[in-house]
């Protein structure tokens, strides 16, 4: 799984350039050009936000507050055309992880991104966040805040299958084939039963039932 990065900067050319360089480095990068557009994505399951301080409406500081109120551990790198100690100090006090002044050298920028991700995730993008839950694929552990959630093997594998196919409509037959086995013999109700237990243990998980077809994790 690749690192996912959201970018908010109302300078479209620079925004697009940053996204292009990040994609060349193997990251999945998404661009937003207005405060309102970025605000709609503050709950995205990404690994990093890159935020310009001076936006079309409100400020990068306001957006940081919104992101941190929902995802306190989300790393954020500020960009700014103003090289002022005051902005840098305010950004760090509010919880930003780094600060880079425009115009910047793209190699330096990419190095800063790499270092923040390395520090936060210890070179392990297999820490997935979805609907407030944190999944460690290496340890096969799921937690919500400081509480670890005890899942059976099939509950965990079902969860991971939905996460890896987030946003896609998945049929019950697909789930049986991928999570159980293509040679599985038994009632397909096993999917519904396992999903019911998963929802009970993880009530915030947004897995929707598509009646007559299957499921979708939004």
């Amino acid at each position: 799984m690749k690192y996912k990065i959201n970018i908010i900067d109302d300078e479209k050319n620079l925004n697009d350039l940053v996204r292009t360089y990040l994609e060349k480095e193997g990251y999945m990068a998404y661009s937003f050009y207005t405060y309102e557009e970025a605000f709609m994505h503050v709950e995205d399951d990404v690994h990093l936000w890159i935020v310009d301080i001076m936006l079309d409406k409100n400020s990068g500081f306001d957006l940081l507050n919104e992101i941190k109120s929902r995802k306190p551990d989300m790393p954020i790198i500020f960009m700014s055309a103003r090289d002022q100690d005051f902005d840098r100090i305010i950004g760090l006090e509010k919880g930003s992880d780094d600060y880079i002044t425009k115009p910047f050298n793209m190699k330096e920028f990419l190095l800063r991104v790499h270092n923040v991700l390395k520090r936060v995730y210890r070179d392990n993008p297999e820490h997935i966040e979805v609907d407030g839950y944190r999944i460690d694929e290496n340890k096969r552990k799921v937690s919500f805040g400081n509480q670890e959630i005890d899942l059976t093997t099939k509950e965990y594998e079902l969860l991971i299958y939905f996460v890896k196919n987030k946003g896609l409509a998945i049929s019950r037959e697909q789930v049986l084939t991928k999570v159980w086995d293509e040679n599985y013999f038994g009632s397909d109700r096993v999917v519904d039963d396992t999903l019911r237990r998963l929802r009970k243990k993880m009530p915030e998980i947004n897995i929707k039932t598509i009646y007559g077809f299957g499921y979708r994790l939004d």
Side-chain angles (χ1 to χ4, degrees), residues 60-78:
F61 295 137
D62 296 317
L63 188 65
L64 178 145
N65 290 336
E66 296 292 346
I67 295 169
K68 291 289 188 178
S69 70
R70 294 161 174 82
K71 295 177 177 290
D73 298 325
M74 177 64 66
I76 295 174
I77 296 177
F78 271 135

Side-chain angles (χ1 to χ4, degrees), residues 8-10 35 51-60 63:
I8 168 60
D9 192 327
D10 53 10
Y35 179 91
V51 178
D52 185 29
I53 291 179
M54 301 297 293
L55 299 176
D56 62 309
K57 179 182 178 182
N58 298 73
S59 73
L63 188 65

Side-chain angles (χ1 to χ4, degrees), residues 7 9 11-19 31-33:
I7 311 159
D9 192 327
E11 294 183 50
K12 187 177 187 303
N13 290 339
L14 178 60
N15 193 323
D16 292 344
L17 182 64
V18 167
R19 187 188 71 248
S31 290
F32 307 111
Y33 306 104

